[in-house]
Amino acid sequence: MDTEYMDLYGLLTRVKDEIEAAIPDSVWVRAEIASISVRRNGHCYMDIVQSEGGSVVAQARAIAWAGVYGQIAPYFESVTGAPLSIGQQVLLRVRVNYSQNYGFSLIVDDIDPEYTLGDAQRVRMETLERLRREGLLETQRELVLADLPYSLAVISAPDAAGYRDFTRHLEGNQYGYRFGITLYPATMQGAGCAASIAGALGEIASSGRNYDAVLILRGGGGKLDLACYDEYELCAAVALHPFPVLTAVGHDQDVHLCDMVAYEALKTPTALADRFIEIYADSEAGLNELRQRLKNARMTRLTLMQGRLDVLRARLEAADPRRLLEKGFVLVLGSDDHLLKKASDARVGDSVTLLMKDGRVRTRIEKVEL
């Protein structure tokens, strides 16, 4: 029997014609980047997906040829502050393509970075509301930082410039203060960042060491590059940590949800180092002030005592009989050498001594007149 058939190329050509005829123009497609690879020739290959309820419901291959990718990738990074990467929600303008050899694909000719920023902001606001609803925004502030925090657990990438700046500034302080620093390495950006830092926080909590504070350090970066610091997993781990957590992530314009739930947030690692140096400097200044106050109190007490001695000395000097003799007065001593103060105590015939400033005169009483 003769069976009608089509060869494979003919079938796939018909499929190609039908697909490309159905969608002849470029369309904007929203999706998440599941994988991305840039080849040596500059072409970029991506797998993009759509998920619902935690399951992938659609998947396709997308290709940005070198000429297009060389333009849209730098522009995307300049707007968002981060390169195209796995996990990002993107809005791509694509042309439907079907190849008899390679099958279905989407050819990317543009990308809207503002959409990616907007989606990240929407997720951020949802996370913020969840943290507020669960009462996690103020939990860390119920803790008490030690008066002189010495033992510090630091979460950072070991080779990060921010970590080097922090340790150099803290250990090289002008006062010579010393601190105990223990590094817990973690991934500080990109995919897996939130889980890595949360894991380090868990390691610190279960270490059995009583740290005075936990520090999360990272230098500046783009908005999407630092988006992990807005993820719920990390924010909850910070909020519920048993030790005060201080953050220094990004630059002045960046405020992350991680900063909002922390015990305290500083703008840069160097500023965080200054914070601990100032705690010690303020404590030392307080001790010096107290020492001076005690010294002043002792001086004041000595001054008061000296004043009292001066008054007493003046009184004694004023009552000194010799002062009277110098003024021309005469003191009369009875026969028992006691001062004779009243004439009624004198008896005719008694011997008396007259004390004068230049000597004594002995005489006898011949008459007493009262």
Side-chain angles (χ1 to χ4, degrees), residues 109-148:
D109 57 33
D110 201 359
I111 188 169
D112 182 2
E114 297 293 343
Y115 172 82
T116 303
L117 281 178
D119 183 73
Q121 181 63 19
R122 176 187 59 78
V123 174
R124 183 180 188 276
M125 294 305 296
E126 291 174 352
T127 302
L128 176 60
E129 179 56 32
R130 180 179 178 183
L131 293 169
R132 181 180 292 112
R133 186 172 62 251
E134 295 177 358
L136 297 180
L137 291 179
E138 301 296 330
T139 305
Q140 269 280 309
R141 294 177 180 85
E142 296 174 0
L143 302 178
V144 178
L145 187 65
D147 292 335
L148 292 175

Side-chain angles (χ1 to χ4, degrees), residues 60-229:
R61 181 176 65 165
I63 305 170
W65 302 122
V68 172
Y69 185 75
Q71 296 180 14
I72 65 175
Y75 176 64
F76 180 89
E77 186 168 353
S78 70
V79 174
T80 64
L84 286 164
S85 58
I86 295 173
Q88 291 173 345
Q89 290 288 336
V90 291
L91 189 62
L92 305 171
R93 191 174 68 187
V94 300
R95 290 179 290 106
V96 175
N97 177 73
Y98 189 89
S99 166
Q100 292 88 338
N101 287 326
Y102 302 107
F104 181 84
S105 61
L106 300 174
I107 307 302
V108 179
D109 57 33
D110 201 359
I111 188 169
D112 182 2
E114 297 293 343
Y115 172 82
T116 303
L117 281 178
D119 183 73
Q121 181 63 19
R122 176 187 59 78
V123 174
R124 183 180 188 276
M125 294 305 296
E126 291 174 352
T127 302
L128 176 60
E129 179 56 32
R130 180 179 178 183
L131 293 169
R132 181 180 292 112
R133 186 172 62 251
E134 295 177 358
L136 297 180
L137 291 179
E138 301 296 330
T139 305
Q140 269 280 309
R141 294 177 180 85
E142 296 174 0
L143 302 178
V144 178
L145 187 65
D147 292 335
L148 292 175
Y150 168 79
S151 182
L152 310 176
V154 177
I155 299 176
S156 178
D159 57 348
Y163 175 63
R164 292 196 301 269
D165 291 344
F166 170 79
T167 54
R168 186 184 305 116
H169 197 71
L170 187 67
E171 295 177 346
N173 68 85
Q174 60 179 321
Y175 306 102
Y177 303 140
R178 291 292 176 260
F179 299 86
I181 301 173
T182 304
L183 176 65
Y184 288 80
T187 301
M188 303 306 290
Q189 68 181 50
C193 165
S196 181
I197 298 176
L201 287 168
E203 185 179 352
I204 293 169
S206 61
S207 67
R209 300 182 61 179
N210 190 24
Y211 289 105
D212 293 320
V214 178
L215 317 181
I216 299 177
L217 304 180
R218 192 201 185 284
K223 291 183 178 180
L224 290 184
D225 206 24
L226 302 176
C228 60
Y229 295 94

